[in-house]
Amino acid sequence: MPAVGRRWAAAWTTGDTRDLARLYTRDAVYTDRALNLVFRGSKGVEEWETGSRQLIENLKFEATGGFRGGDGVVVEGVFSGHIVGAPRPFAVPLVTVLRLRGNLIQSSNDYYNRGEILSESGLPADWTPPGS
């Protein structure tokens, strides 16, 4: 796996939202394709991770593979945690595509199955987080 992919995966395990944000350019775009959410800039990346950790206890990402081609990096792994208030934890495959500018991430796109997370968590398919 490329070094930036290892750093990206490791940053999700530290719990310090600044670790992930430091990997991104100031004008970065972080997109969660399953939820159709977009966050801009390193502050947006920090906001995304903070919100994720508030909604999902024991949030983890375990990298299982990846590769690099030009300015693109693909990171494969398992996204897991326990949605606050859900009957059960979940663990689902996730793929993230990173686009680089130099040694920093200019954009990232997360791809996973939202329905699978809800099903494994014991939540209905139309569930939305409280307050959304």
Side-chain angles (χ1 to χ4, degrees):
M1 167 156 348
V4 69
R6 285 192 308 274
R7 289 192 309 272
W8 183 87
W12 273 106
T13 65
T14 68
D16 181 346
T17 57
R18 293 170 298 190
D19 287 344
L20 186 64
R22 282 185 198 106
L23 299 175
Y24 285 79
T25 62
R26 286 193 328 227
D27 62 344
V29 178
Y30 194 123
T31 305
D32 182 304
R33 295 292 175 178
L35 298 177
N36 197 30
L37 294 173
V38 178
F39 295 85
R40 299 189 184 283
S42 53
K43 287 292 185 193
V45 172
E46 193 171 335
E47 176 187 336
W48 171 233
E49 185 179 2
T50 298
S52 297
R53 291 192 179 283
Q54 289 171 347
L55 178 65
I56 302 170
E57 296 173 335
N58 301 315
L59 185 146
K60 294 179 185 156
F61 179 77
E62 178 186 347
T64 59
F67 59 90
R68 182 174 184 161
D71 69 349
V73 173
V74 172
V75 181
E76 301 171 285
V78 177
F79 172 40
S80 63
H82 194 148
I83 296 173
V84 174
R88 300 183 300 271
F90 67 87
V92 301
L94 179 138
V95 172
T96 294
V97 178
L98 307 173
R99 295 285 178 202
L100 307 178
R101 183 188 308 141
N103 293 326
L104 295 175
I105 301 168
Q106 182 177 12
S107 71
S108 58
N109 288 275
D110 290 347
Y111 297 91
Y112 58 93
N113 187 322
R114 179 182 180 276
E116 190 175 9
I117 288 176
L118 295 176
S119 176
E120 282 196 18
S121 296
L123 295 169
D126 63 348
W127 181 86
T128 57
S132 61

